[in-house]
């Protein structure tokens, strides 16, 4: 299987806690630290041909995925702002990637997901 098909199969399997569909199936969400341990750190059962997150991210970029930024609106009050900062730092380990040809609702588009 090519990289996009492997990624799709992984997302649909529900076997991994470190990667999931986001934004209603339009984005891929990856908990970076958990993904490194759960997927890339597997001994003898590698899903992808790498053990490094940077190489995995290069593969995403090579197939046209772009990193999405999460924008949090900040509150004016200090206690709310501090609570939001704590939540944002927890989210900083989560990476979001988008590709218009990689959409859960449209599996046929996967065929158009080609390496650049």
């Amino acid at each position: 299987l090519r990289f996009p098909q492997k990624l799709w199969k992984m997302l649909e399997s529900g076997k991994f806690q470190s990667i999931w569909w986001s934004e209603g199936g339009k984005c891929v969400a990856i908990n970076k630290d958990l993904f490194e341990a759960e997927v890339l750190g597997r001994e003898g059962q590698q899903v992808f041909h790498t053990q490094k997150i940077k190489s995995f991210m290069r593969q995403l970029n090579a197939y046209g995925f772009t990193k999405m930024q999460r924008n949090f609106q900040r509150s004016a009050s200090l206690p709310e702002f501090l609570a939001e900062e704590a939540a944002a730092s927890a989210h900083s380990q989560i990476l979001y990637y988008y590709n218009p040809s990689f959409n859960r609702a449209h599996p046929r588009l996967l065929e158009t997901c080609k390496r650049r």
Side-chain angles (χ1 to χ4, degrees):
L1 293 175
R2 290 183 12 236
F3 179 83
Q5 283 87 359
K6 287 180 186 179
L7 185 61
W8 185 283
K9 196 172 180 180
M10 175 182 274
L11 287 161
E12 289 296 306
S13 76
K15 293 179 182 176
F16 300 94
Q17 295 178 1
S18 59
I19 187 167
W20 63 93
W21 289 107
S22 177
E23 307 293 326
K26 294 179 182 174
C27 288
V28 176
I30 303 167
N31 181 317
K32 185 180 167 218
D33 290 341
L34 186 57
F35 187 80
E36 285 181 291
E38 183 183 46
V39 178
L40 301 178
R42 294 174 78 167
E43 293 289 326
Q45 294 181 333
Q46 284 187 315
V47 179
F48 301 102
H49 297 291
T50 186
Q51 293 180 320
K52 297 181 180 174
I53 191 73
K54 287 194 183 265
S55 297
F56 176 78
M57 290 163 49
R58 272 195 291 276
Q59 282 281 71
L60 286 169
N61 291 327
Y63 280 94
F65 285 82
T66 55
K67 190 173 180 182
M68 305 287 292
Q69 298 297 323
R70 306 312 286 158
N71 295 324
F72 295 97
Q73 289 191 340
R74 304 295 184 192
S75 295
S77 75
L78 182 59
E80 287 179 14
F81 177 80
L82 293 174
E84 289 168 358
E85 279 296 305
S89 74
H91 281 281
S92 68
Q93 290 299 315
I94 299 175
L95 308 172
Y96 296 89
Y97 282 90
Y98 169 77
N99 182 326
S101 298
F102 201 85
N103 187 316
R104 188 178 197 181
H106 303 285
R108 292 179 188 228
L109 286 177
L110 189 59
E111 296 170 14
T112 64
C113 193
K114 305 269 187 213
R115 189 174 179 90
R116 292 182 191 178

